[in-house]
Amino acid sequence: MPLEAGRTLKIIANWSFSRAQRRKLPLAAVFSMTHYCNFMCPMCPFGDPDKARQLKLAAEHNMSTEQWKGAMTKAARYCIWSFMEGGEPTSRQDFIELVQHLRNIHLPVTVVTNGSLLHNFDVDVLRQNVDKFCLSIDSTFKDSYCRIRGVPPEVHDRVMSNLQMLDEHNINRYVNAVITKWNADEFITGEYFDRIHKEFGIGLVTPTLVEDRVGVAHETLSPDTETIRKVAQGILRYRSTHEAPRIGVPALYWKQIVDFGRPMFKECGVWKGLTVLADGSVRVPCWKLAVPTQSYNILEHDIEEIWNMPEWENLKGCHECEHLTCIWLSSQNIATGLQCIRNIS
């Protein structure tokens, strides 16, 4: 459903005024809802195969329903859009109650999900309360999908069934695909886009190159430099010859990879997004540069107080993230950022 124009314009005006005064404020919110995920993706910090340990961690540290409502209400003052992710957000018992709360406070939401649990919900309730779903579908081939996501074939089949359900009920949706050495060929040839569009009615895809993360042993998942360049060339070629599905990551990102081997940006703009972790903490300036003393709980601090911390200055000149599309997009000007939000809203 469309953004509420009046609310959006008011927030953007306040954000622009703050920028003119050299003050930072977030414009989009990312809610990392839980420490638990039922998948075992090797490139993800929530891919730990010890699910009993994850469930214990979630039980002890996840914010409660009311705490999340408080955090979301705080974010709604500053943000024009939100993303609910995880772990797996649909694994929370209060998932519907929380998306209904976002609806009540007029903060639009994209739910980022592996899609394996969507059959547990009333499809009409989902349509009424979720603005868009982003499903993580890395490959259109079962073997590659299961290898990347760390799940058995029957889970793949359930995800595809749920994806078909969303198509049949015309639920707003798009897919995100993490590109690794195991599925790169699908993007070089364009086969991924053809199959995901024809078989599941997907009109928008946001491809993402796998990125190394501290403490997550998946270095071998990344394609080599030449393969990454071929992926970028393949995506550029596909978008120039096909109207659908649309590719949500701008052509400039892929052109820079072809020309320079990586996307280019002057200054990381991660501060434009408010990322709230499952326990309510916000790491300043980001997960790569923050230390324990630079973590502030959103329930205890105002957003403007957190965004006034001097640690944000550490982002200047930091280019640690080589391929993360979210970092590249955040570093672009506000017009580009808003266009990308419109693409996925």
Side-chain angles (χ1 to χ4, degrees), residues 191-202:
E191 188 173 14
Y192 177 92
F193 302 113
D194 285 338
R195 289 168 60 99
I196 204 74
H197 178 60
K198 292 176 182 177
E199 296 179 22
F200 299 101
I202 296 298

Side-chain angles (χ1 to χ4, degrees), residues 14 65-66 71 111 126 165 230 240 248 251 306 311 332 338 340:
N14 181 59
T65 304
E66 293 307 313
V111 173
L126 294 178
M165 175 190 73
K230 288 180 179 179
S240 69
I306 297 174
E311 290 85 3
Q332 306 304 302
L338 290 175
C340 290

Side-chain angles (χ1 to χ4, degrees), residues 8 19 79 107 136 151 177 207 282:
T8 301
R19 291 300 298 134
C79 300
L107 180 57
S136 301
V151 295
V282 178

Side-chain angles (χ1 to χ4, degrees), residues 142 146 151-160:
K142 184 183 295 189
C146 292
V151 295
E154 57 267 25
V155 173
H156 164 273
D157 294 343
R158 185 164 68 243
V159 171
M160 297 305 136

